[in-house]
Amino acid sequence: MLSDVQMQQTIERPAVCAGIGVHSGEKARLVLKPAPVGTGVVFRRTDVEASSTLIPAHAESVSDTRLGTTLTNEAGVSVAVVEHLMAALAGMGIDNLLIEIDGPEVPIMDGSSAVFCELLLQAGLKVQSAPRKRIRMLERIEIVDGPKRASLSPSPDTLLTLRARIEYDDDVIGVQQMAVRLAPGMFARDLAFARTYGFARDVDMLRAIGLARGGSLDNAVVLDNGAVMNPEGLRAEDEFVRHKMLDAVGDLMLAGAPIAGNYDAVQPGHALNNALVRKLLATPSVWCWESDAGTLRQPDLRASAAV
């Protein structure tokens, strides 16, 4: 049963992991650190010299959505493939966190959010002294891009409910659809394990444009001529749509606060999700700030990502 008052959360103590970037192929070390109330989620590049190495985890910082979500600050400092880590933070209820990274890309780990969820649990979740603020949907908004579409609409409770449908001309995937309610514990149980995926036929093309240089069967599900190349097979028959849901959870967290509403999507992707969140932020009449202390007046969401 949900608590009557949802409070902001960070972690009890720092946590560390390291790995390679799925696109850059470069090694990076992550240090997750507790952050004060109202900080939001902020990345800090520790390997570069610039006027600012802080990168707010916010939709307005998104600079690239090709096979991942990249954030870039005003000084041109960036961090790529943030969505799996952001999804874990959203799923575990983390509001405030400083993430130090010494490379250009968040490590892909096994291609899912499971390692990040385990890392957060090992660090311990710390309840903070201020109520959590939510974005309460008041009206429906939608983004349509050919056969792709995504919307946010009002819901009767304080949670985010997600529904997604994907369709591929591939025997392994075919048509998959799923609906989940982002209640406590659900993400870690039902979505976190789902890995990113791709097709063997695309590997040479992706590497030619600087992507997938760190990709392997250890960090992605790879399909070839209607078969799964990974020796261990799938973790679930619908692992593909589960991963799309995982990505959506991470991309929607870039709104700057949890969303109380319904997310519905057909053929979703990072570009579509970012366009939806940007439209949300640009249309203040369709949402309001809310906490368990009551409904609040419109804020500048970017302020929630400041340190």
Side-chain angles (χ1 to χ4, degrees):
M1 185 174 179
L2 294 177
S3 169
D4 289 339
V5 179
Q6 295 182 34
M7 306 298 285
Q8 293 183 36
Q9 291 193 120
T10 186
I11 55 177
E12 288 277 2
R13 51 195 169 272
V16 180
C17 70
I20 64 166
V22 67
H23 293 312
S24 66
E26 295 187 31
K27 294 180 180 179
R29 181 174 182 265
L30 280 179
V31 183
L32 310 184
K33 294 185 173 182
V37 161
T39 299
V41 178
V42 181
F43 288 84
R44 174 184 286 151
R45 285 286 299 272
T46 60
D47 61 320
V48 299
E49 294 184 7
S51 58
S52 175
T53 58
L54 294 176
I55 310 167
H58 193 274
E60 293 183 359
S61 299
V62 173
S63 58
D64 195 349
T65 53
R66 293 178 303 162
L67 301 181
T69 297
T70 298
L71 304 173
T72 303
N73 68 11
E74 292 181 355
V77 180
S78 66
V79 60
V81 192
V82 302
E83 61 273 8
H84 299 168
L85 176 54
M86 293 301 298
L89 301 182
M92 301 297 286
I94 299 295
D95 303 280
N96 304 304
L97 197 70
L98 175 63
I99 304 165
E100 294 185 344
I101 181 169
D102 65 358
E105 186 179 334
V106 173
I108 191 64
M109 310 314 286
D110 70 346
S112 75
S113 292
V115 172
F116 298 128
C117 287
E118 292 169 6
L119 198 65
L120 293 167
L121 287 174
Q122 290 170 9
L125 307 185
K126 181 180 179 180
V127 176
Q128 296 179 285
S129 59
R132 170 175 291 157
K133 290 193 290 186
R134 297 181 291 270
I135 294 171
R136 161 68 61 185
M137 294 303 303
L138 303 175
E139 297 178 29
R140 184 177 183 273
I141 58 168
E142 185 177 34
I143 293 289
V144 179
D145 180 12
K148 304 176 182 180
R149 66 178 186 270
S151 66
L152 285 167
S153 59
S155 69
D157 59 28
T158 62
L159 301 177
L160 176 66
T161 296
L162 304 101
R163 303 176 187 87
R165 182 182 188 274
I166 60 172
E167 183 174 353
Y168 286 83
D169 185 17
D170 180 274
D171 291 340
V172 178
I173 305 179
V175 177
Q176 296 188 358
Q177 53 191 2
M178 186 178 186
V180 295
R181 188 166 172 262
L182 204 60
M186 186 287 301
F187 180 85
R189 182 185 67 241
D190 296 335
L191 297 182
F193 68 82
R195 296 163 291 176
T196 192
Y197 59 92
F199 297 89
R201 63 176 181 264
D202 297 331
V203 170
D204 290 342
M205 177 272 292
L206 292 172
R207 289 180 174 167
I209 60 173
L211 300 175
R213 292 179 177 177
S216 72
L217 296 179
D218 293 327
N219 55 40
V221 176
V222 181
L223 303 176
D224 187 26
N225 294 320
V228 176
M229 295 181 66
N230 305 63
E232 73 278 13
L234 298 176
R235 295 175 176 176
E237 288 186 5
D238 60 353
E239 186 170 1
F240 307 97
V241 72
R242 287 176 189 263
H243 188 78
K244 286 292 188 181
M245 301 282 259
L246 180 159
D247 280 345
V249 171
D251 288 338
L252 292 177
M253 191 179 180
L254 296 177
I259 297 173
N262 297 308
Y263 166 86
D264 291 272
V266 176
Q267 300 293 87
H270 299 300
L272 196 71
N273 291 336
N274 184 246
L276 182 64
V277 175
R278 284 176 179 263
K279 183 172 183 177
L280 171 72
L281 301 181
T283 317
S285 62
V286 304
W287 62 274
C288 67
W289 268 126
E290 178 184 84
S291 78
D292 291 315
T295 301
L296 308 173
R297 299 188 69 83
Q298 285 289 358
D300 179 353
L301 275 180
R302 287 169 295 185
S304 69
V307 174

Short mmCIF file of all heavy atoms in Angstrom, two decimals, residues 54 113 119 135 138 147 183 251 274-275 294:
data_model
loop_
_atom_site.label_atom_id
_atom_site.label_comp_id
_atom_site.label_asym_id
_atom_site.label_seq_id
_atom_site.Cartn_x
_atom_site.Cartn_y
_atom_site.Cartn_z
N LEU A 54 28.88 20.15 -15.21
CA LEU A 54 27.60 19.65 -14.71
C LEU A 54 26.59 19.58 -15.85
O LEU A 54 26.46 20.52 -16.64
CB LEU A 54 27.05 20.55 -13.61
CG LEU A 54 27.84 20.61 -12.31
CD1 LEU A 54 27.20 21.62 -11.36
CD2 LEU A 54 27.92 19.25 -11.64
N SER A 113 18.51 -2.40 -17.14
CA SER A 113 18.64 -1.54 -15.96
C SER A 113 18.91 -2.33 -14.68
O SER A 113 19.01 -1.75 -13.61
CB SER A 113 17.36 -0.71 -15.76
OG SER A 113 17.19 0.24 -16.77
N LEU A 119 22.65 -1.75 -7.80
CA LEU A 119 23.59 -0.78 -7.26
C LEU A 119 22.89 0.18 -6.29
O LEU A 119 23.40 0.50 -5.21
CB LEU A 119 24.22 -0.01 -8.41
CG LEU A 119 25.52 0.76 -8.15
CD1 LEU A 119 26.65 -0.21 -7.82
CD2 LEU A 119 25.88 1.59 -9.37
N ILE A 135 4.34 15.88 -11.57
CA ILE A 135 3.65 16.55 -12.67
C ILE A 135 2.29 15.87 -12.83
O ILE A 135 2.22 14.69 -13.17
CB ILE A 135 4.46 16.46 -13.97
CG1 ILE A 135 5.76 17.24 -13.85
CG2 ILE A 135 3.64 16.95 -15.16
CD1 ILE A 135 6.72 17.04 -15.01
N LEU A 138 -3.35 17.27 -16.67
CA LEU A 138 -4.70 17.82 -16.63
C LEU A 138 -5.44 17.62 -17.95
O LEU A 138 -6.66 17.55 -17.97
CB LEU A 138 -4.64 19.32 -16.32
CG LEU A 138 -3.95 19.71 -15.02
CD1 LEU A 138 -3.87 21.24 -14.91
CD2 LEU A 138 -4.66 19.12 -13.81
N PRO A 147 3.72 6.47 -38.60
CA PRO A 147 3.04 5.40 -37.86
C PRO A 147 3.34 5.42 -36.36
O PRO A 147 2.73 4.66 -35.60
CB PRO A 147 3.61 4.13 -38.51
CG PRO A 147 4.98 4.54 -38.97
CD PRO A 147 4.84 5.97 -39.41
N ALA A 183 4.11 1.21 -10.00
CA ALA A 183 3.97 1.15 -8.55
C ALA A 183 5.31 0.72 -7.95
O ALA A 183 6.15 0.14 -8.63
CB ALA A 183 2.87 0.17 -8.17
N ASP A 251 13.24 8.01 -20.33
CA ASP A 251 13.07 9.24 -21.10
C ASP A 251 12.07 10.18 -20.44
O ASP A 251 12.25 11.41 -20.44
CB ASP A 251 12.63 8.92 -22.52
CG ASP A 251 13.73 8.30 -23.37
OD1 ASP A 251 14.91 8.49 -23.03
OD2 ASP A 251 13.41 7.63 -24.37
N ASN A 274 11.26 12.11 -26.34
CA ASN A 274 11.78 13.44 -26.03
C ASN A 274 10.88 14.53 -26.58
O ASN A 274 10.65 15.55 -25.92
CB ASN A 274 13.20 13.60 -26.57
CG ASN A 274 13.82 14.94 -26.20
OD1 ASN A 274 14.09 15.77 -27.05
ND2 ASN A 274 14.02 15.16 -24.91
N ALA A 275 10.35 14.32 -27.79
CA ALA A 275 9.43 15.30 -28.37
C ALA A 275 8.18 15.44 -27.51
O ALA A 275 7.65 16.55 -27.32
CB ALA A 275 9.05 14.89 -29.79
N GLY A 294 -0.65 19.28 -1.53
CA GLY A 294 -1.65 19.99 -2.32
C GLY A 294 -1.11 20.37 -3.69
O GLY A 294 0.05 20.12 -4.02
#
